[in-house]
């Protein structure tokens, strides 16, 4: 069956390449199947996974690698919203936890991380999330790991109370930031030099982007896609997800990089 | 450490029960920790997991059991949005897949299901999702399982192309339904007797609720919480999730049950 599918893929690939040139080629949004590697010459649906093809030139220009750090008890939508957005935008994603042991997200979803702290490859963006965030923020090993990875990390992205993890690593000092609506005062106490804004969907400080609670991770991730690939592309990602509720102006850009 | 925490829980429990009566008691939204079982006598945050307490009388009146059927390749946000909503609303949730082997959601998230088809306990609501939906819809064993569980299943809830799974089980015949925006025509072909509506966030037929694509699962789940526990409660769940984008009127109620 695998051999048959490989032959089918080879034939489709040859046929597509024969008619394709870079400026108008189409690709399949990453779905984890072999069709992720195919290139098509017109807009249609992937014949294998049925997903709507996207213009290759419109995927995130630099294919960023995004590390999802997941602690035991992590809130499901905190990470799943951005995971959906970044996946469809063509980013490379992997999950990391303190160890390779399975964790239970929100007490209901058993997840096995791709890597532990030691084995995780380098990444461009470190994304951290709420839901039992103290499990990471109060763990000296996790904080030491975040600091040790600083030379190769370009951006930090926190959702909800994930901000407390970045705060503990000293990454929010003197910045304007946000977090979960019920944790605004606690974050002010945890990072006294930071200005913590309520009622702000996300805040971009150039390399540190923080979002409000839970569902706001979707908006923050769409903003990052806009930052990396332009608003038109981000809008198309939102349309694909049927998330016509994205209002880019609900965020605050303090500094771009 | 565990013993110390158990003593702490016992003391908190005794202290809370001493002052509590049912009509104004507060509980912790399910987080998978032991504090899920505590009852408090005033609105505050859980001293253990820090989550905002909710009124016990305002959780879903009947504590529904919701089965999340996850096939390999399932779209992350399709199931994670409803999982967040139902978790916070106090429903009992478990995950089921064809076997107990790990699956990879959207090619990026490794999940181990709680049960396989044979071992899954009974449930009130069967929820099915898009992302490689054919893997379930075209599998006679999965469809036979859905049919075999009909006597004990009260509601069916599909997100995105999860509708094709319900369609294959004969559950959409002659109903008004919806699905992912790019699959409207395909669903019309798959279930010719159904009326398939575009641009509709969700459709309720009484016992069968279908939603539009990906992010629409959040709205559909909030609608189900409203159906089970009232709009005020559903609004509070949306507020907690910072999902002020819920517009109940974007759905269509054909029939209530």
């Amino acid at each position: 069956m695998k051999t048959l599918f490989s032959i089918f893929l080879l034939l489709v690939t040859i046929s597509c390449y024969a008619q394709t040139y870079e400026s108008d080629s189409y690709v399949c949004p990453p779905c984890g199947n072999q069709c992720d590697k195919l290139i098509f010459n017109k807009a249609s649906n992937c014949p294998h996974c049925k997903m709507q093809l996207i213009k290759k030139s419109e995927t995130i220009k630099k294919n960023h690698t995004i590390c999802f750090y997941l602690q035991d008890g992590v809130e499901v939508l905190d990470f799943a919203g951005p995971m959906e957005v970044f996946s469809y935008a063509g980013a490379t994603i992997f999950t990391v936890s303190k160890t390779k042991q399975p964790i239970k997200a929100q007490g209901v979803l058993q997840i096995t991380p791709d890597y532990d702290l030691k084995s995780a490859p380098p990444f461009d963006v470190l994304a951290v999330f709420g839901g039992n965030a103290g499990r990471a923020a109060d763990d000296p090993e996790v904080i030491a790991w975040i600091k040790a990875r600083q030379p190769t990390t370009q951006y930090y992205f926190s959702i909800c109370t994930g901000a407390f993890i970045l705060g503990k690593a000293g990454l929010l000092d003197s910045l304007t930031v946000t977090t979960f609506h019920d944790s605004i005062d606690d974050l002010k106490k945890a990072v006294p030099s930071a200005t913590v804004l309520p009622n702000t969907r996300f805040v971009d400080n150039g390399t540190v982007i923080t979002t409000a609670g839970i569902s706001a991770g979707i908006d923050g991730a769409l903003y990052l896609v806009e930052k990396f690939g332009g608003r038109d592309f981000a809008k198309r990602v939102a349309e694909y997800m049927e998330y016509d509720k994205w209002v880019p102006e609900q965020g605050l850009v303090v500094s771009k990089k």
Side-chain angles (χ1 to χ4, degrees), chain A residues 115-228:
Chain A
Y115 301 102
D116 60 12
L117 295 180
K118 277 187 190 162
S119 63
F123 40 83
D124 303 308
V125 183
L126 173 63
V128 290
F129 310 93
N132 208 14
R135 181 98 180 190
D138 301 336
D139 186 328
E141 274 185 63
V142 176
I143 300 304
W145 173 77
I146 293 174
K147 288 180 176 173
R149 297 295 184 121
Q150 269 186 281
T152 52
T153 308
Q154 294 178 60
Y155 300 96
Y156 296 91
F157 181 45
S158 74
I159 283 81
C160 199
T161 52
F164 287 78
I165 306 171
L166 298 188
K168 214 53 176 286
L171 291 159
L172 303 188
D173 291 351
S174 306
L175 297 184
T176 301
V177 299
T178 192
T179 186
F180 182 54
H181 62 90
D182 208 41
S183 300
I184 298 286
D185 288 340
D186 285 345
L187 189 59
K188 284 178 185 170
K189 286 175 203 154
V191 190
S193 69
T195 304
V196 187
L197 297 181
N199 307 315
T200 309
R201 209 73 182 147
F202 62 82
V203 183
D204 180 10
N205 287 280
T207 56
V208 177
I209 298 93
T210 53
T211 83
I214 310 179
S215 70
I218 302 173
D219 307 68
L222 284 167
Y223 169 74
L224 265 189
V225 170
E226 175 187 342
K227 185 176 167 101
F228 297 153

Side-chain angles (χ1 to χ4, degrees), chain A residues 21-211:
Chain A
Y21 49 95
E22 186 68 10
S23 63
D24 66 351
S25 60
Y26 291 80
V27 292
C28 181
C31 64
N33 292 311
Q34 292 182 60
C35 50
D36 283 353
K37 293 171 188 163
L38 293 181
I39 297 179
F40 301 84
N41 67 342
K42 59 177 183 179
S44 65
N45 286 59
C46 171
H48 175 56
C49 72
K50 313 294 183 204
M51 287 176 86
Q52 199 177 2
L53 301 177
I54 48 178
K55 274 190 181 173
K56 192 172 187 299
S57 57
E58 286 175 352
T59 53
I60 288 183
K61 278 160 196 155
K62 180 184 178 315
N63 181 19
H64 286 87
T65 298
I66 304 177
C67 168
F68 279 62
Y69 183 83
L70 306 179
Q71 67 277 5
D72 189 44
V74 66
E75 190 103 5
V76 170
L77 188 54
D78 275 35
F79 74 82
M83 192 172 266
E84 177 74 39
V85 171
F86 293 140
S87 287
Y88 188 70
T92 301
I93 289 171
F94 54 78
T95 58
V96 173
S97 198
K98 188 174 177 182
T99 71
K100 282 210 70 177
Q101 289 305 304
I103 60 156
K104 207 140 194 186
Q106 218 161 332
V108 288
L109 185 70
Q110 188 168 309
I111 295 167
T112 302
D114 297 322
Y115 301 102
D116 60 12
L117 295 180
K118 277 187 190 162
S119 63
F123 40 83
D124 303 308
V125 183
L126 173 63
V128 290
F129 310 93
N132 208 14
R135 181 98 180 190
D138 301 336
D139 186 328
E141 274 185 63
V142 176
I143 300 304
W145 173 77
I146 293 174
K147 288 180 176 173
R149 297 295 184 121
Q150 269 186 281
T152 52
T153 308
Q154 294 178 60
Y155 300 96
Y156 296 91
F157 181 45
S158 74
I159 283 81
C160 199
T161 52
F164 287 78
I165 306 171
L166 298 188
K168 214 53 176 286
L171 291 159
L172 303 188
D173 291 351
S174 306
L175 297 184
T176 301
V177 299
T178 192
T179 186
F180 182 54
H181 62 90
D182 208 41
S183 300
I184 298 286
D185 288 340
D186 285 345
L187 189 59
K188 284 178 185 170
K189 286 175 203 154
V191 190
S193 69
T195 304
V196 187
L197 297 181
N199 307 315
T200 309
R201 209 73 182 147
F202 62 82
V203 183
D204 180 10
N205 287 280
T207 56
V208 177
I209 298 93
T210 53
T211 83

